[in-house]
Amino acid sequence: MSKPSSAAALLADNRVGLGCMSFAGAYGDTDQAEAHRTLATAIDLGVTHLDTSNVYGMGRSESVIGAFLKTSPHAFSIATKGGIVPEPVRRFDNSSSHLRKELEGSLRRLGVEHVDLYYVHRREQVRDIEEVTETLAAFVREGKIGGIGFSEIAPSSLSRAVAVHPVMAVQSEYSLWSRQPELGMLQACKELGTTFVAFSPLGRGMLADPVIDTANLGPSDFRRGNPRFKGEDFVRNKAFVERFNAYAKGQGIAASTLALAWVLHQGSQIVAIPGTRTVEHLRRNMDAASVILTADQLAEIEKILPVGWAHGARYSDAQMVGVEGYC
């Protein structure tokens, strides 16, 4: 397995990775065989980065990946996360003892002795980020992880962490309908040499063609509790996206490919990790890495989906807990 030791390593081969939350059924029913077909195709298409977490299906996503790795040679860099305690009441624990226990569990499920990147999934606010960074730095020295990451933190927190140890990556939601990182985080990552990893770069499937039919969402689908997929907010969002889809069709590009290409165009320090459980969607996602957008195309996209167009909050109140605000 490759073991990148710097932010640049995540950018070395392919700026489109694979988010593996879908392998745990967060966006619809799936099974291990389907996930393994997707992973095998990822190898064929040159995907080099997988992103998962210990809480995706309570270890299910990691276990699916681990089962695949036992039988298939690969050159993936693997990132996973810890720090969320989902039950009985969702909370966050960034203590050294907890993160060590969770990392060991992740390594066991993945069937590896080392992951290339380990994120604190949500920051525990009562614990100084400097202390947490020291914990992660110890994991680096022990050879358990290749680099340090944080998810959904503020630029100010990143600056404090980097003063202790280099931070390989920061992960935040970023897409044509979630653009908060433009208000400080993209700039901080560029200045500090940290890779910015855009999760949900396709708006949790909204920025694709055809537009999601919310009536078909399964009972456990994450989007059922998300404001942007409810009621009049969804109706308004759908109208915007249908105009975007029509434009993409006129350009001869799949809507998801165009939306993902837009994300990559926003900065050379950006890696995107669209999640999918199907081979078809994976192929479309990978096409984005080769799309070069013109100034006219970028201007038209901004006209169709201007900053702030999305109706509804990107998370419900319950989903937002743990996300650091900075604007």
Side-chain angles (χ1 to χ4, degrees):
M1 180 189 302
S2 59
K3 296 183 179 180
S5 58
S6 68
L10 284 177
L11 301 171
D13 298 311
N14 201 316
R15 293 175 60 202
V16 180
L18 176 58
C20 299
M21 185 174 173
S22 296
F23 292 172
Y27 296 108
D29 291 339
T30 187
D31 56 32
Q32 182 165 291
E34 184 176 39
H36 284 188
R37 285 193 295 272
T38 301
L39 287 168
T41 302
I43 292 176
D44 293 341
L45 295 176
V47 174
T48 57
H49 184 60
L50 302 182
D51 181 276
T52 185
S53 171
N54 66 331
V55 296
Y56 294 167
M58 299 304 293
R60 179 180 170 189
S61 175
E62 291 177 329
S63 296
V64 166
I65 295 169
F68 178 81
L69 299 182
K70 287 180 180 178
T71 60
S72 301
H74 69 98
F76 293 129
S77 68
I78 298 176
T80 192
K81 313 177 193 74
I84 295 177
V85 182
E87 296 175 343
V89 177
R90 190 171 187 260
R91 61 185 179 88
F92 312 110
D93 187 344
N94 295 173
S95 66
S96 177
S97 59
H98 180 77
L99 290 177
R100 182 175 293 277
K101 181 184 71 173
E102 294 304 311
L103 174 58
E104 293 289 354
S106 292
L107 295 175
R108 184 172 59 254
R109 286 185 291 272
L110 290 164
V112 299
E113 296 180 354
H114 166 104
V115 289
D116 302 282
L117 173 58
Y118 191 66
Y119 291 96
V120 168
H121 205 160
R122 290 291 185 270
R123 186 179 165 204
E124 181 188 6
Q125 290 296 321
V126 298
R127 193 178 303 275
D128 288 342
I129 198 167
E130 290 85 355
E131 176 190 335
V132 181
T133 306
E134 288 283 6
T135 292
L136 299 177
F139 298 160
V140 173
R141 292 191 296 270
E142 293 168 19
K144 294 182 181 296
I145 68 175
I148 290 171
F150 291 93
S151 179
E152 295 273 36
I153 62 168
S156 56
S157 294
L158 174 61
S159 296
R160 290 171 58 188
V162 167
V164 176
H165 188 280
V167 175
M168 182 185 286
V170 164
Q171 183 177 118
S172 294
E173 183 176 355
Y174 185 50
S175 70
L176 276 163
W177 82 342
S178 293
R179 295 179 63 170
Q180 183 178 11
E182 294 174 4
L183 300 178
M185 184 52 79
L186 295 183
Q187 297 87 335
C189 285
K190 185 174 183 179
E191 177 185 350
L192 296 170
T194 296
T195 295
F196 179 87
V197 178
F199 74 78
S200 297
L202 299 179
R204 307 186 189 281
M206 189 68 178
L207 297 167
D209 193 6
V211 178
I212 291 167
D213 183 350
T214 55
N216 293 332
L217 298 181
S220 61
D221 193 301
F222 176 88
R223 292 166 291 191
R224 278 196 169 276
N226 190 281
R228 291 183 178 178
F229 292 91
K230 291 183 175 182
E232 287 301 313
D233 283 339
F234 177 76
V235 173
R236 295 186 177 97
N237 289 333
K238 181 180 179 181
F240 273 93
V241 172
E242 285 175 340
R243 291 194 289 272
F244 175 75
N245 289 353
Y247 175 71
K249 184 176 182 179
Q251 297 295 301
I253 305 172
S256 56
T257 303
L258 184 61
L260 193 53
W262 179 90
V263 170
L264 297 177
H265 188 85
Q266 304 311 304
S268 60
Q269 80 279 24
I270 297 174
V271 168
I273 51 167
T276 183
R277 61 189 187 277
T278 69
V279 169
E280 178 187 4
H281 291 165
L282 177 63
R283 292 187 186 279
R284 290 180 184 174
N285 293 344
M286 296 308 297
D287 287 342
S290 61
V291 173
I292 299 175
L293 299 177
T294 67
D296 287 345
Q297 287 175 316
L298 290 165
E300 188 63 24
I301 291 169
E302 291 285 351
K303 186 184 299 183
I304 296 168
L305 299 179
V307 176
W309 67 270
H311 287 69
R314 72 181 181 97
Y315 280 142
S316 67
D317 290 345
Q319 292 165 347
M320 184 63 77
V321 174
V323 175
E324 288 194 330
Y326 51 90
C327 298

